[in-house]
Amino acid sequence: MNVLGDAWDWLADGANWSGESGVWNRLTEHVLLTVVCVLISVAIALPIALWLGHLGRGGALAINISNIGRAIPTFAVLVLLGLSPIGMGDTATIIALVLFAIPPVLTNAYVGMRGVDRDVVEASRGMGMTGGQMLLRVELPLALPLIMTGIRTCAVQVVATATLAALVAGGGLGRIVTAGFDLQDNGQVVAGAILVAALALVVEGLFALVQRFTARTPRGGVTS
Amino acid sequence: MASGDCLKRNSWICGKYFDEYSGEITDALREHVYLTVVSVAIGVLVAFPMALAARRWRPAGSVLLGSTTILYTIPSLAMFAILQPFTGLTETTVIIGLVLYSLTILVRNMLAGLRAVPPDVVEAAKGMGYGPGRLLFQVELPLALPAIMAGVRVATVSTVALTTVGAIVGSGGLGNLIYSGIDTLFKAQVLTASVLCVALAIVADLLLLGVQRLLTPWERAGGRKRRLPYVSAPTAEVDTRAGAAA
């Protein structure tokens, strides 16, 4: 199939890498969008999950948010926000991305906190630790592997979803794909898709490496 | 104010939209259901031998689980775009993509379900002279059913949502209405299609729950009438760590 050849030619052409719609600029947009959204999601979801997990309340909420999120099409939310007064653009994209990135962080962190051995928690209470100390010095470190799994799922999901932003006039690597469709240039479509897939796999791989080096307890997580 | 003007005013909710576009909505809904059913059905058929292979040979298991997880990481827009030059702007493209995504969840849950069958039960069945085929279909599969059905439910719900992205290659069911709404700024159409999509996911989930209850009557028998020494299989969905595919 010479589509792959066309895709390779497109990628090998230096002109496609520079300029506003070039690969470097789209890649930068994509990574920036991802970093911003992951940071916002973690900043919102992590404190809530840690607190709920510490208190042992709101479990049904934390778990169900994930299940509901799965049923709502991201694409639909992006378009709905785009048509609302917010308008199509970065704000709509960031809101949609954060909305879908919160559930994995929340659920995994909550499950991680609840999974901490109760005896250990009781022991730390017996040692005279305050609630805050128990949370930060006992529960949080023990829950860390699952918390990291949640953040990893969140990051990969944001990379994937940021691709869809291109459909509603957002930036990012998805733009190369949609532009290829408009130009009916299959080489460019496939080249863009390969770049997107590669970025998602790189992010997944990086997190897997970080987890392998930081976590000593076996991983195992909750699906997004 | 006559409600007939709501199309001109481009309201979010508009009764006239349903009247005038009912044919279009029904077609999109039908396509959406068709794509979901076909994709999940093929997914189950493909995932089952994969799960059996993964159970039989451990190395094959890691390879199969690893590769389906990698596939799940690839963003849907990219997936459909990569397939599109080979299979064209057709439903086939969307179905292949959706099947690939469903495999991650289905294989993991089938494998977990089969592995959770108590060894005593398997030994007992063997002692009673059950061959491998009868053992699988009459003993192991029924016991693994709750875990398998949990996987089918998760896969179906995600497939309903993911189908919308198929609009990029022209076959996204309700997604087509959402996609065309971007250019036309047709609010009633986008909202209706989005709500229908979520409703479809919920209905499908409830239907599958009903099927699961019909297929596993012993689960409801409440301990008294249990015909098999049943140890409850993991009913919650089993971990599908990586999760993207939006």
Side-chain angles (χ1 to χ4, degrees):
Chain A
M1 203 73 180
N2 59 9
V3 176
L4 292 177
D6 292 346
W8 176 252
D9 290 343
W10 193 91
L11 286 173
D13 187 350
N16 291 326
W17 288 72
S18 56
E20 205 226 328
S21 53
V23 173
W24 289 125
N25 187 42
R26 294 300 183 206
L27 183 66
T28 315
E29 285 174 350
H30 208 111
V31 172
L32 264 179
L33 199 58
T34 305
V35 171
V36 168
C37 290
V38 170
L39 287 179
I40 295 176
S41 313
V42 171
I44 295 173
L46 202 54
I48 297 176
L50 293 182
W51 189 239
L52 287 178
H54 176 70
L55 296 177
R57 291 203 191 124
L61 178 81
I63 308 287
N64 283 328
I65 280 180
S66 264
N67 290 332
I68 295 166
R70 215 195 318 269
I72 299 174
T74 326
F75 175 46
V77 172
L78 268 169
V79 178
L80 283 172
L81 285 172
L83 293 183
S84 75
I86 298 167
M88 299 203 187
D90 284 342
T91 318
T93 311
I94 291 173
I95 293 175
L97 260 53
V98 167
L99 223 54
F100 284 94
I102 284 177
V105 181
L106 191 69
T107 308
N108 278 289
Y110 180 85
V111 172
M113 289 290 283
R114 296 313 297 160
V116 174
D117 194 340
R118 286 296 103 193
D119 295 348
V120 177
V121 179
E122 285 312 311
S124 65
R125 193 195 305 278
M127 286 166 68
M129 284 192 178
T130 64
Q133 284 173 327
M134 276 159 59
L135 178 102
L136 289 178
R137 286 162 56 180
V138 179
E139 293 173 303
L140 183 64
L142 287 173
L144 205 58
L146 266 185
I147 294 175
M148 283 302 293
T149 300
I151 296 175
R152 165 179 169 182
T153 307
C154 155
V156 177
Q157 196 163 309
V158 171
V159 169
T161 318
T163 313
L164 289 180
L167 294 175
V168 289
L173 286 173
R175 267 298 180 84
I176 296 173
V177 177
T178 51
F181 270 111
D182 290 342
L183 298 167
Q184 297 193 314
D185 179 350
N186 271 339
Q188 180 176 341
V189 169
V190 174
I194 291 172
L195 289 169
V196 171
L199 180 63
L201 292 175
V202 166
V203 171
E204 169 83 7
L206 280 179
F207 269 92
L209 278 181
V210 170
Q211 274 183 296
R212 183 152 298 174
F213 284 118
T214 53
R216 285 179 207 147
T217 29
R219 280 174 291 132
V222 176
T223 148
S224 58
Chain B
M1 178 84 77
S3 70
D5 290 330
C6 63
L7 275 182
K8 280 196 190 125
R9 280 186 280 119
N10 195 14
S11 310
W12 284 105
I13 299 166
C14 176
K16 200 180 169 199
Y17 167 71
F18 289 97
D19 297 340
E20 288 198 2
Y21 291 82
S22 63
E24 207 179 284
I25 302 171
T26 320
D27 286 348
L29 190 61
R30 196 177 296 138
E31 190 190 34
H32 209 111
V33 172
Y34 167 78
L35 289 170
T36 307
V37 171
V38 171
S39 305
V40 175
I42 297 177
V44 169
L45 291 179
V46 176
F48 185 56
M50 285 174 79
L52 288 183
R55 181 175 67 151
R56 186 104 164 69
W57 302 286
R58 272 195 180 270
S62 349
V63 172
L64 286 175
L65 288 182
S67 50
T68 52
T69 307
I70 288 174
L71 282 173
Y72 202 68
T73 308
I74 295 170
S76 53
L77 183 76
M79 181 76 93
F80 295 137
I82 289 174
L83 292 170
Q84 173 269 137
F86 303 96
T87 45
L89 298 172
T90 59
E91 289 180 339
T92 316
T93 307
V94 180
I95 292 173
I96 294 176
L98 293 174
V99 167
L100 291 178
Y101 285 130
S102 70
L103 289 180
T104 324
I105 301 161
L106 291 172
V107 174
R108 273 176 196 279
N109 277 46
M110 285 178 178
L111 193 57
L114 289 173
R115 279 187 180 153
V117 175
D120 319 358
V121 178
V122 176
E123 285 308 311
K126 277 184 187 160
M128 285 168 71
Y130 277 53
R134 271 178 81 200
L135 177 69
L136 177 65
F137 285 101
Q138 290 183 8
V139 179
E140 293 177 298
L141 216 47
L143 287 176
L145 209 59
I148 295 176
M149 284 304 291
V152 174
R153 285 172 60 196
V154 174
T156 306
V157 170
S158 344
T159 302
V160 171
L162 270 176
T163 301
T164 54
V165 184
I168 185 76
V169 292
S171 303
L174 294 164
N176 288 357
L177 301 183
I178 299 172
Y179 193 46
S180 68
I182 298 176
D183 295 326
T184 55
L185 303 178
F186 194 167
K187 291 178 181 172
Q189 176 170 303
V190 172
L191 184 64
T192 307
S194 308
V195 170
L196 278 176
C197 207
V198 175
L200 185 62
I202 295 169
V203 169
D205 196 40
L206 290 176
L207 276 178
L208 286 170
L209 183 65
V211 170
Q212 181 184 341
R213 288 175 67 101
L214 283 178
L215 288 177
T216 56
W218 60 88
E219 285 271 280
R220 280 171 295 148
R224 240 180 293 162
K225 280 188 179 173
R226 282 186 187 173
R227 281 167 220 154
L228 291 166
Y230 183 75
V231 176
S232 85
T235 41
E237 71 265 25
V238 187
D239 97 302
T240 60
R241 265 194 332 269

